[in-house]
Amino acid sequence: MAIDSLVLGAGQEVGKSCVVVSINGKRIMFDCGMHMGYTDSRRYPDFSLISNTGDFDNALTCVVVTHFHLDHIGALPYFTEVCGYKGPIYMTYPTKALAPLMLEDYRKNMDRRGEDEQFTSDHITECMKKVIPVDLKQTVQVDKDLQIRAYYAGHVIGAAMFYAKVGDAAMVYTGDYNMTPDRHLGAAQIDRLQLDLVITESTYATTIRDSRYGREREFLKAVHTCIAAGGKVLIPTFALGRAQELCILLEDYWERMNLKVPIYFSAVRNFDRSLINAPGPCVLFATPGMIVGGFSLEVFMQWAPSEMNLVTLPGYCVAGTIGHKLMSGKPTKIDLDKDTQIDVRCQIHQLSFSPHTDAKGIMDLVKFLSPKHAILVHGEKPKMATLKERIQSELGIPCYCPANNETVTVPSTHYVKADASETFIRSCLNPNFKFSTYSSVDKSYLDSKYSKAASGLQVSDERVAEGILVVEKGKKAKVIHQDELLLMLGDKKHEVQFAYCFPMHTERLQKTRTEELPSADTLLCDLDKCTLINQLSMKLSNELSDANILDLGEQLQVESFRVSICSKNSCPHRLSHSVHNDSESVFLCCHWSLRDEKLAWKIISIMKSSSPHTT
Amino acid sequence: MEQHVMNSIEQSLNNNQPLSSQTLASLRSLIINPTTSDSSLSSLLDALTRSLRLTRDSVFLHHCLKLLTDLSARRPHLSPFAVDLLRSDSLFSSASPRLVGESLSALLSLTSSQNDIDAARFVSLCLGPSVPVRLWLLKNAEKFAIRESVLLAVFLGFTRDPFPYVRKAAVDGLVKLCKNGDFNDRDVIEGCYCRAVELLRDAEDNVRSAAVRAVYDWGKLLVISSEERNKQDSSDAVFIQLCCMVRDMSMEVRLEAFEALGKIGLVSEDILLQTLFKKVLGINKDKIYKPIKVFEISASAAAGAFVHGLEDEFSEVRMSACYSLHTFTVFSSQFAGEALNLLMDMLNDDSKIVRLQALNTMHHMATCNHLKVEEIHMHSFLSTLFDSCSVIRSATRKILKLAKLMKLELFKLCIDGLLGNLETYPQDEVDVFSVLFHIGRNHGKFTVLMIEEVSTELEPAFGGKLGFDSTRVAAFLVLAISAPLSNESDVCGVPSRIFSYAVTWLGRISYALSDVMNRETLLAYLSKCSRSSTISLADFKIKEALPTVKGDMPSHLCSEVGSPVSMPLWQKGVETFDHHHQKLFLGKSGTHLEYGLRECDELRQSVNLVFRKVKDLWSLVQLGCTNEALKAISRACKEEVASFTTDSPGSAGAVAFTLQYLRVIKLLAAVWEHLMPTKKLNCYGVGKLELLLGKLDRRLREIRNKFIGLSKAEELQILELIVVACLLRLSKIEICCYDTAMKKLSSIISHVEILRKGGPIEPSHFIIEVKKLLNDIGSSSGGSTCKPLLFKKLIDSFSLHQFVLGGSPRHINAELEVPGNDSENPLPFIPGIPASIPLAITLYNVLSEHRLWLRISMGEESTQFVFLDLNLIRSSDEVREFTFVAPFYLTPKAISFALRVSIGIECLQENVHQVKAFGGPKRELAYLCPEEEIFLCKSTKW
């Protein structure tokens, strides 16, 4: 089994996020974004790679959209209404509520610029009808096999990471996320899951950002100094996202510092234009963000000539906008068009709030999730390569950063369901832990990098490990207790026995006896055997103080090791048959089982050393 | 009814039938009914006992258990029987583990003492299949008297349990065990630590947060058991390990991690700094720690731990991170500087508690002189002066009182901030004035510059009318009048008329400065300053006369080092005052005394601060980082205590006491080091230890005998230290002189008893334990069997309490001199005939009941004691100055020789001691002055 990830967009670039993942026969499209930088066919993902025939309903199980930014949702109306996808689409409630606004806004802008209309207002409405909203942490059963679940991702309101599971294979697609909280959004939050694959964004693959507090401090200081001196503050923003954060920040500050200076929001309701030039300090939020036109430009033209006033700029301004001109060096004059020229004397403050996680955040998340594989998307190629190296070397997780229209295939987990016998279940219920030192530790318990390094005292609980998996032909696999195995197989227990027969020079041991006996060929009588065994026993108990030596008359037993005097002329266990017929030798025949091997050889060596010469 | 029920019981028992559930129900009603007679209840007990033998039915057993618990709860006198029955095998040997668990918990609830369930049964119950029973047993394990080793094995084993709650209980058990137990086996410690580290990656939040605690606690043991040179590294490794958890997804785990981080005392500066930067610092790149073999952790894991904590989503975590920072700011000024950058940002936090905690942490930094405020901080910092919450404002002002600003601009910003505060919140006036006064005193030169700038504002505007309605003017006046009292030398730039302006504000200003001086002094001071156009010597004296506020002030600001002997201040100072003031001051001598006392209060505060620091440092000693602790204590001695002024009455005693106390603690720490488990005592070590112990005894004797006016609580604390010294001696067989030490110990303990009887003071837990042990030893064996392990354990339970100096102890002290004698001008003597030695002696604070001895020794061989009869010297107790002619009898046959003379006080509280020299003191002496060398030369004139 394998997971195939076909990257249709945001592969080694930022824009038009779209990844189609096939797990165990299910195909999910994560995000359906558009690229803002292109106006040609490169604007949308190449949907033909999903299906040549255009039968997307059968080719895809569902579409999942993480949040309402256009590079994650921009192509959705096109895909559903123009390409004709009719299957389910999942997104969170806030995304569903806000997405039509964003799409409509974009469509209007496109109109204004005189570009070809890709979809209409009706398309957006129709498309949104197909959307199924989900709650955070709600498990949605898309069909019999596919489960998806949304987790909080920070970033913007409604942004989510999505967990998808088919059978035993599971993966997470993060979308855009933020690992540090800000004033209005929390940090991404996810459970510790068993994952085969994580697809994560990597906008800041190499950047490590400072704490947001520094940025807040600078902003508040600039605003406060300005209004304290009686100036006016213009904050051009987009309606959603940073505006909320700045509002909360200012409101909190105002309340704390007991400030009475008014704060206006031009976007919420119609703003009374007479207030623009009202005396006294004020703060004004106005759209659009980069001062391209509209109300923010109108106010800017009036306020810019006074050095008491302040204009804050968003972190990123598109080239060609006034915002961009203000950012790139401080101009004193800006030519709006041929006739109008703005005299810029006001102070400029640049904001640098970003809702994306930084490199450390990505590493932290991947480390926390510890998936078997990771794929990076939504980033710049060289930086992604650096991060990829770090993930592979520091976390030991294989990592990929495919380009657009490439497919990455990773193996997935597949569990075999097995029955368990009652004895096995019973043995599982009772704890059965063992303590050991690390030299003899069973390596199968070392699941993590850390425990491999463990030392000294170790503990293991073997209650599950003691089972035996039996897979019979045509039957379901079954786990049984080891005691049951023989019964089940209807077989006898075999045990490996070792045997060794060696001669022993008895001259010293039994001086008196050999004199009386006429020939060594004659078998030793029972009594003699006993004496010999007895002597051996004495000898052994001297040497092995802690062993339990049983003297059974004709033979000697230590654990499973038995030794007796060999009465056969040709014992099969004798190493060599051409052994010299030493008249004063008796043969000792030893048997032992595998577990006492060490002990056995120790005993044999003791016995051998007690005879003057050895074979 | 009673009879009826009893009969039916009899019947069924006689038929060898178990009791029916109906009968059991009626039994219960009998038990509950308070009128049921005792006799029927005891026969009921009998019946139960019998029927327990008959049946093993679990329903019945369950009922039975319930009945027994009810019975013993309602009839306490029958409880022992019920408990016996509960203990009997019938319930315990039941097949149902649940029933066994219940009977155990019933037993526990009935008997308060530890229960004697044997280890084998405990383990077998734990290993049984019933998970709830297992969980219950693990949670209540410490209530049974079970060997630590068994518990350890059980807990460690169950950290592998598949049930997360069992794992959590097991880890919690390990933590408790680690705190109470006595583990020296490095293997065990390493094993437990490793297991805890493994559990940090558990899938369950609960287990992870318990594992964080376990890593901290076992990590502590790991550090202690490490070899001396690896201690720092191990401690760092544990710290980094905990740092890994601050990015956990669960808030509880993060909270736990920061709490643990704050408790680790010893971390190297590189690692600490790393926690403030997300980027891995160059110095920490590729730095790998191996706290135990084959176990690695990279220093980069600590990156940005505190940064993450401070920008956490939850205010609890942010607060905890703020709090944890404050422990480390003590150790490293560089860390404190970097942390300050982050903390200043926390002042913009939306949670009030977090802001307050950040301010508290800064205050802590200021008290250890690690607060370096810079320009970029000023906006956020001063903005807290405008905070709508008064607690925040006052916390900020508290820091400003201590702040040491390097630049004039910063000073001006602060003053502006304070003025703004005053303007916005007029209710803060008192506190703001007080802060202005303090800040002015700390920055004399800046104040003068500032006043020069604003002096036009202070001048009368029209026709001699002052703009006195403005609070702003009042604030500047307060600032101005503080300048002459500045600690910076030669500040005399404030025009004298300013002071006369200030007089018109006397009421408001004196109200605000009531913690520094009262109205009369203020008036005197102001009129004095307004009179003289230049700051004269007299003003300088006034400066000394006024109390310096040191309560929280960074100590380096106070540079005067006073003489060790306290001279009542007004005796010195008054001489230079002009007549008018002399009269004034003499007239108000009562008030002066008050000031003296108040100043004492302030001194006491700072002394107690030092004591607190010592107490904090003691934890380092217990961790085995003695060198670091010793260094810090020495620093405290040298810099802080030395900077206390000693020129007010009573302060010299306190300072001397503090120094002595610090010496004692230093020695104690040094001795303590030898008792660490890793320290192998060799022959050389024995000698050294013996030497140290001797020194310690001497110092303790001094602290006990050379100070009078200690309160009982203070005395008790000193006694506790003596007890520790005794125990230390007893715990090492190599050096212990068992009988003597035991005698001393018991005498000290009985002294504690006397103290306790005399007043409402409670001896510490430690003392009580020692007493118990003494009783045990006394009762168990009359013989002198050495039990070093027992003592060792007791010592381990000792933790240094903060010494609180309540009163002003007086230091018994002496000065000894032979006028005009040195090696060039020896005293004459005739060999064989006693020589007379004229000694000029000054005694301080010696009472007439004290027994003083002159110890005159010649070389090593001969020592002679001469008793100083104080009754012969008529003088006050405080200072006695007289000349005493001491005879020296055993003049040798030599041309010249040198004598060493010193004065000792007989330690009246010590046991009578056999002293070799006849006629000498019966008890040990504590010496009041350094030995003085006296030279004698054979007289040539007969």
Side-chain angles (χ1 to χ4, degrees), chain B residues 294-334:
Chain B
V294 291
F295 186 104
E296 284 184 3
I297 186 156
S298 153
S300 60
F306 278 116
V307 181
H308 287 307
L310 291 178
E311 57 180 16
D312 199 274
E313 197 172 342
F314 295 91
S315 61
E316 294 93 323
V317 181
R318 293 200 297 273
M319 204 178 96
S320 180
C322 271
Y323 180 78
S324 297
L325 271 179
H326 99 274
T327 36
F328 298 116
T329 52
V330 186
F331 297 116
S332 153
S333 61
Q334 201 189 345

Side-chain angles (χ1 to χ4, degrees), chain A residues 183 213 217 256 360 364 453, chain B residues 247 294 310 345 348 388:
Chain A
R183 295 268 167 170
Y213 290 113
R217 183 185 59 209
R256 218 167 357 108
K360 187 160 190 303
D364 285 339
Chain B
R247 285 299 262 165
V294 291
L310 291 178
D345 288 337
N348 270 332
S388 52

Side-chain angles (χ1 to χ4, degrees), chain A residues 443-454:
Chain A
K443 293 281 186 257
S444 65
Y445 294 110
L446 304 176
D447 46 355
S448 70
K449 178 176 161 191
Y450 292 100
S451 60
K452 218 173 274 173

Side-chain angles (χ1 to χ4, degrees), chain B residues 55 59 135 166 176 183-184 320 344 357 589 731 742 753 823 827 933 935:
Chain B
T55 178
V59 179
L135 187 60
V166 176
K176 274 185 210 154
F183 295 101
N184 288 329
S320 180
M344 281 296 178
Q357 181 58 54
S589 65
S731 70
M742 278 307 274
E753 273 300 287
S823 54
L827 291 172
E933 199 160 8
F935 301 93

Side-chain angles (χ1 to χ4, degrees), chain B residues 664-678:
Chain B
V664 167
I665 294 298
K666 260 165 79 178
L667 278 168
L668 203 57
V671 174
W672 195 278
E673 191 193 3
H674 285 270
L675 294 162
M676 297 309 287
T678 47

Side-chain angles (χ1 to χ4, degrees), chain A residues 8-24:
Chain A
L8 289 181
Q12 302 176 354
E13 63 166 1
V14 178
K16 63 164 177 180
S17 289
C18 184
V19 181
V20 177
V21 180
S22 324
I23 331 172
N24 291 356

Side-chain angles (χ1 to χ4, degrees), chain A residues 25-95:
Chain A
K26 302 290 166 189
R27 280 185 109 185
I28 312 160
M29 178 192 277
F30 289 102
D31 281 341
C32 189
M34 66 187 310
H35 203 296
M36 307 291 282
Y38 301 114
T39 48
D40 53 7
S41 64
R42 285 175 296 174
R43 178 190 300 178
Y44 294 134
D46 185 359
F47 295 121
S48 65
L49 291 174
I50 304 171
S51 161
N52 287 325
T53 58
D55 181 11
F56 295 118
D57 292 347
N58 285 325
L60 288 179
T61 317
C62 68
V63 173
V64 170
V65 175
T66 55
H67 63 284
F68 62 71
H69 281 159
L70 286 176
D71 61 334
H72 291 259
I73 200 173
L76 191 65
Y78 178 81
F79 185 54
T80 59
E81 305 310 309
V82 181
C83 299
Y85 171 74
K86 293 188 183 55
I89 303 164
Y90 294 93
M91 54 180 79
T92 59
Y93 281 93
T95 310

Side-chain angles (χ1 to χ4, degrees), chain A residues 358-422:
Chain A
D358 62 355
K360 187 160 190 303
I362 300 173
M363 290 296 284
D364 285 339
L365 183 81
V366 175
K367 188 177 173 192
F368 182 79
L369 290 174
S370 302
K372 297 204 180 74
H373 302 272
I375 293 179
L376 302 179
V377 292
H378 201 282
E380 291 158 38
K381 190 180 174 184
K383 293 182 180 171
M384 284 165 96
T386 320
L387 183 65
K388 175 186 150 181
E389 282 310 310
R390 274 189 72 195
I391 291 178
Q392 287 186 337
S393 62
E394 286 177 32
L395 305 178
I397 296 169
C399 185
Y400 316 89
C401 33
N404 278 345
N405 303 338
E406 272 182 18
T407 302
V408 174
T409 304
V410 300
S412 69
T413 314
H414 179 66
Y415 296 112
V416 175
K417 287 223 173 76
D419 290 335
S421 78
E422 269 194 31

